[in-house]
Amino acid sequence: PSEVQPGAPHEKGGIFLFIIRSRLWIFALVCILQGSVKESLFLWGPTFFSESQNISMEQVLFIMSLVPLMNSVALVLGGIINKFFKYQEKYTLVLFSIVAVFSIILLRLSMGVNLTVMSFAFGGLLASLFVVNNMLTIYIPLNFKKDQKVSSAVGIMDCSVYIGAAIAGPLVGLLIDRFGWTGIVNGWTGGCVLVVVMGMLSKNYKKP
């Protein structure tokens, strides 16, 4: 895709017109999708493991303790890869979204088969979405420095993430009894696939 610059600082029409012209609304949708998957995974993760795998709380706590470690490794790796892509965050975002899709497919296949593989797939999934979240809420808004709308872009991204979290958290609780954990994991898989698709459709900015 061609590299384009955000609009000029003197652009008229207010923040809503700016969101449309810059196609920032696509990234906002990505924020809602990844926020819904990431936050519901983190919120329901302990319950997911304890109910679907019938393991002790000590084992659940050990699995969840892996998440911050894997997030830290992914954060460093994300910075290296983003530098490799010459700070074109769209490519980093799409790459880690694809990793998230493969991680959740591995999670689905290992359910009830191999707890170790399942645990690392769960951690890899959250770590990948953690990098995607950082690209959306920290790096991409920096492209709008010349527009003097960095704070607005950060606010839009953060708000969108929390909208996704607010929707998905209670929704998972409502749907577990009807579809079971297999259905919930399938829903998470669909959300990750949509993140990849929307990321590919998003605009490719290049910092000045």
Side-chain angles (χ1 to χ4, degrees), residues 3-16:
E3 296 174 343
V4 294
Q5 299 285 354
H10 60 273
E11 185 176 27
K12 304 294 183 181
I15 187 64
F16 292 105

Side-chain angles (χ1 to χ4, degrees), residues 24 27-28 31 136-137 140-141 152-162:
L24 192 61
F27 283 117
C31 282
L136 290 165
T137 59
I140 286 176
S152 298
V154 170
I156 291 166
M157 298 299 196
D158 279 337
C159 179
S160 300
V161 170
Y162 285 116

Side-chain angles (χ1 to χ4, degrees), residues 142-194:
L142 294 176
N143 289 282
F144 301 102
K145 182 177 181 180
K146 62 176 291 188
D147 303 85
Q148 299 178 3
K149 286 184 170 63
V150 173
S151 297
S152 298
V154 170
I156 291 166
M157 298 299 196
D158 279 337
C159 179
S160 300
V161 170
Y162 285 116
I163 288 174
I167 293 172
L171 189 61
V172 170
L174 292 173
L175 296 179
I176 287 174
D177 290 337
R178 181 171 181 180
F179 298 102
W181 283 112
T182 299
I184 298 300
V185 172
N186 290 339
W188 285 335
T189 304
C192 289
V193 171
L194 285 175

Side-chain angles (χ1 to χ4, degrees), residues 3 8 22 28 30 40 57 60 63 69 77 80-81 86 96 106 109 134 148-149 154 169 177 185 188-189 205 207:
E3 296 174 343
S22 64
V30 177
S40 60
M57 186 54 63
V60 172
I63 292 170
L69 177 61
L77 184 61
I80 294 172
I81 292 177
K86 299 181 180 179
F96 277 90
L106 182 60
L109 294 175
N134 276 2
Q148 299 178 3
K149 286 184 170 63
V154 170
D177 290 337
V185 172
W188 285 335
T189 304
Y205 301 113
K207 290 184 180 65

